[in-house]
Amino acid sequence: YKKMGAWINENTPSYDIEIYPQGSFALGTVVQPFDRDDEYDLDLVCEYQQLYGFSAKRLKTIEVRSILDQYARANSITEKRRCWQVTYEHNSRFHMDVVPAIKQGQYIWITDLNEQIYSYLGSNPKEYAAWFQQKQLGQYNAIKQKLLLEAKETASARGSMVEPIKESRIKTPLQKAIMILKRHRDIVFANDNSHVKPISIIITTLAAA
C-alpha cells in the first residue's frame, strides 16, 4: 500500500492526489480468508483533490487505469464496479482494490459503474473511520495504557529504553467482536450462492452503533 501510494504520487506531478486506506485495514478488523481460494484485500482510495474536469468514466478508465498500467509490481488489473482490482505476481493471496475518487468538501465522489454507465457516487470513508475510532476510544486508551505500563515495567527490569507501543498490538473488544461476527458470516455463507451474504460495512456499522 505504501509503495503504491508513493509511486502514484511520484508519477502524477500534474495532479494533487491523496492515497489512503479504507475498510477493514483502516479499521483494524481484518480477518483471515476462510476459503483457501479467497484473498486478502486492501481498499485504497486514490483521491484527486480537484475535479480537473474529469467525467467519472475518464477518471476511472483513462486517468487512474493508465497510472496502474505503468505500475511494474502489478500482475493483473481487473475492473470492478467501483474500483480497479490489482493483483501481484509474487503474492497470489492478496490484492488491492483501488477506488478512483474526487474530493468534494467534507466528502468524496467515487466512480460507480452500473449497467455500463459511469457516474459519481458520494462517500465519506474518513469520517466513517473517525466515527468508528470515537466509538472505541475509551477501550483503546485503556488498553494502550496497560500495554505501556507493562512495557515500562519490563524495560525497568532490564535496564533498557521503553519502546513505543505498536498500533497493531492494540485490539479493542469492539474490533474483536466485529472480527468474530465476520468469521461467523464467512462460515454461515461458505457454500451459499444466494448473494445475500452481509458485507463487512453492514456488520461493522451495526456492531459499533
Side-chain angles (χ1 to χ4, degrees):
Y1 149 67
K2 290 182 178 179
K3 288 181 179 179
M4 175 177 278
W7 188 91
I8 290 175
N9 281 319
E10 290 172 2
N11 289 273
T12 54
S14 299
Y15 304 117
D16 184 9
I17 301 175
E18 182 179 357
I19 308 296
Y20 55 91
Q22 67 171 7
S24 298
F25 270 89
L27 303 178
T29 58
V30 176
V31 294
Q32 182 176 339
F34 178 67
D35 192 303
R36 290 185 177 181
D37 295 328
D38 289 341
E39 302 175 350
Y40 284 102
D41 70 290
L42 191 159
D43 293 329
L44 183 155
V45 178
C46 181
E47 180 186 305
Y48 284 65
Q49 300 302 292
Q50 300 180 40
L51 182 59
Y52 296 109
F54 297 154
S55 65
K57 183 176 182 178
R58 177 178 172 181
L59 176 66
K60 186 179 185 185
T61 64
I62 298 178
E63 300 299 331
V64 175
R65 176 59 195 256
S66 65
I67 295 172
L68 297 177
D69 280 339
Q70 300 172 55
Y71 189 55
R73 296 169 63 89
N75 181 46
S76 67
I77 303 171
T78 305
E79 184 172 20
K80 300 297 182 178
R81 179 173 175 178
R82 295 172 183 169
C83 67
W84 290 109
Q85 188 176 96
V86 182
T87 60
Y88 292 79
E89 187 172 9
H90 70 283
N91 193 335
S92 60
R93 295 205 67 196
F94 172 81
H95 67 260
M96 283 199 292
D97 292 335
V98 181
V99 182
I102 297 288
K103 183 178 179 63
Q104 289 291 311
Q106 297 300 312
Y107 63 99
I108 61 175
W109 283 346
I110 62 173
T111 56
D112 182 57
L113 175 60
N114 188 15
E115 296 183 352
Q116 305 305 311
I117 298 175
Y118 291 88
S119 61
Y120 283 119
L121 183 69
S123 184
N124 200 342
K126 286 185 177 180
E127 286 297 320
Y128 184 89
W131 169 81
F132 183 83
Q133 295 302 332
Q134 186 62 38
K135 287 290 185 177
Q136 62 172 355
L137 185 60
Q139 300 170 345
Y140 173 88
N141 288 336
I143 294 171
K144 187 171 184 179
Q145 284 299 114
K146 180 177 181 293
L147 291 174
L148 183 59
L149 179 60
E150 292 173 352
K152 287 181 177 179
E153 291 175 349
T154 300
S156 177
R158 295 178 177 176
S160 58
M161 298 290 292
V162 179
E163 295 185 1
I165 302 298
K166 294 182 179 180
E167 293 296 315
S168 59
R169 289 188 60 195
I170 304 174
K171 275 287 183 284
T172 66
L174 176 59
Q175 288 172 309
K176 291 179 180 179
I178 291 170
M179 294 167 72
I180 291 171
L181 290 170
K182 289 166 67 173
R183 169 57 78 236
H184 176 69
R185 179 242 359 234
D186 293 342
I187 294 172
V188 170
F189 291 91
N191 299 308
D192 187 89
N193 297 316
S194 62
H195 304 292
V196 295
K197 176 180 176 180
I199 60 176
S200 295
I201 190 67
I202 293 176
I203 295 173
T204 302
T205 302
L206 290 175

